[in-house]
Amino acid sequence: DAGITQSPRHKVTETGTPVTLRCHQTENHRYMYWYRQDPGHGLRLIHYSYGVKDTDKGEVSDGYSVSRSKTEDFLLTLESATSSQTSVYFCAISAYTGSGTEAFFGQGTRLTVV
Amino acid sequence: AQSVTQLGSHVSVSEGALVLLRCNYSSSVPPYLFWYVQYPNQGLQLLLKYTTGATLVKGINGFEAEFKKSETSFHLTKPSAHMSDAAEYFCAAYNTDKLIFGTGTRLQVFP
């Protein structure tokens, strides 16, 4: 599983509050990603990182920010949570496995905004 | 921008029938291509991938996919469906640092 841990696994929060989700990896992979999964939309890329303090936007970045101050941690922050951000969030890393690049995923965080 | 299209959000087959899940990508440069499976309330598991070399790729659980550059396709097949194959399947393409997913196809298998 490439040593990926997401926390928390479940969270309920109120509209307008800030929320931070954490992704931790143990194998010093350079690339890390945050996705959200919603019915009918598959997984959509929110933000990704290609190194410490190097991040870029994905296709659904509005309302989200990220930070990566050390290789092993990639934080996703919802600055002011809205009901439309209720979703399942997945963190992923990409790694070269010897037969090509492959993505490995965390177990997901189910976020409910009420 | 790169995109991945999965035709058919739901596919239903009988147990023992052929499974065909369709995926097309748009990219001027052939990307790395992947199929992932997600069982209910679980994370994503890699079924198979195409990077370079042989265009027919075999994966786990009897699935295989063929990369066809001329058709920009990477369709997933399995000769004989099992009940345990019921899940959601995602096609994805990796190019220039990003892994982009299709919208998914939910496979139902009837006895």
Side-chain angles (χ1 to χ4, degrees):
Chain A
D1 63 356
I4 303 168
T5 305
Q6 290 186 230
S7 59
R9 293 291 314 279
H10 301 271
K11 186 170 181 64
V12 179
T13 192
E14 293 185 348
T15 299
T17 60
V19 177
T20 295
L21 308 182
R22 180 181 184 236
C23 179
H24 179 78
Q25 58 142 329
T26 59
E27 299 185 8
N28 293 320
H29 295 294
R30 181 182 173 194
Y31 287 91
M32 299 183 74
Y33 306 83
W34 276 108
Y35 293 87
R36 59 176 291 173
Q37 183 179 18
D38 305 287
H41 293 278
L43 280 83
R44 292 179 291 176
L45 182 63
I46 305 172
H47 283 279
Y48 68 103
S49 170
Y50 44 94
V52 173
K53 298 186 179 180
D54 291 324
T55 65
D56 205 349
K57 296 179 180 180
E59 56 187 312
V60 291
S61 59
D62 287 349
Y64 301 95
S65 62
V66 289
S67 66
R68 193 165 178 202
S69 59
K70 45 186 178 178
T71 301
E72 58 265 35
D73 288 325
F74 191 32
L75 304 180
L76 176 71
T77 297
L78 288 65
E79 293 140 8
S80 177
T82 68
S83 58
S84 64
Q85 293 175 311
T86 292
S87 185
V88 179
Y89 292 84
F90 285 99
C91 174
I93 62 94
S94 65
Y96 185 78
T97 62
S99 60
T101 298
E102 183 176 330
F104 297 89
F105 288 82
Q107 288 302 301
T109 295
R110 184 173 297 275
L111 177 68
T112 303
V113 183
V114 298
Chain B
Q2 180 177 289
S3 67
V4 176
T5 302
Q6 291 183 241
L7 293 177
S9 59
H10 290 83
V11 170
S12 298
V13 300
S14 298
E15 192 173 21
L18 171 72
V19 175
L20 171 61
L21 304 183
R22 300 178 185 273
C23 174
N24 289 87
Y25 67 92
S26 68
S27 173
S28 58
V29 177
Y32 293 168
L33 295 162
F34 306 84
W35 276 99
Y36 286 86
V37 61
Q38 185 180 37
Y39 298 101
N41 298 314
Q42 294 189 22
L44 281 82
Q45 179 183 2
L46 181 68
L47 270 179
L48 50 78
K49 64 182 179 184
Y50 168 79
T51 53
T52 59
T55 56
L56 181 62
V57 181
K58 295 186 184 298
I60 62 172
N61 302 337
F63 285 93
E64 61 182 35
E66 186 171 10
F67 170 64
K68 292 187 176 180
K69 183 179 177 180
S70 62
E71 299 178 5
T72 61
S73 69
F74 191 56
H75 301 331
L76 182 71
T77 60
K78 182 174 181 178
S80 177
H82 295 163
M83 297 294 291
S84 60
D85 294 327
E88 189 154 21
Y89 293 80
F90 294 96
C91 182
Y94 183 84
N95 197 353
T96 59
D97 300 343
K98 299 180 185 179
L99 184 63
I100 303 299
F101 284 82
T103 53
T105 298
R106 185 167 297 279
L107 176 66
Q108 288 184 302
V109 182
F110 293 100

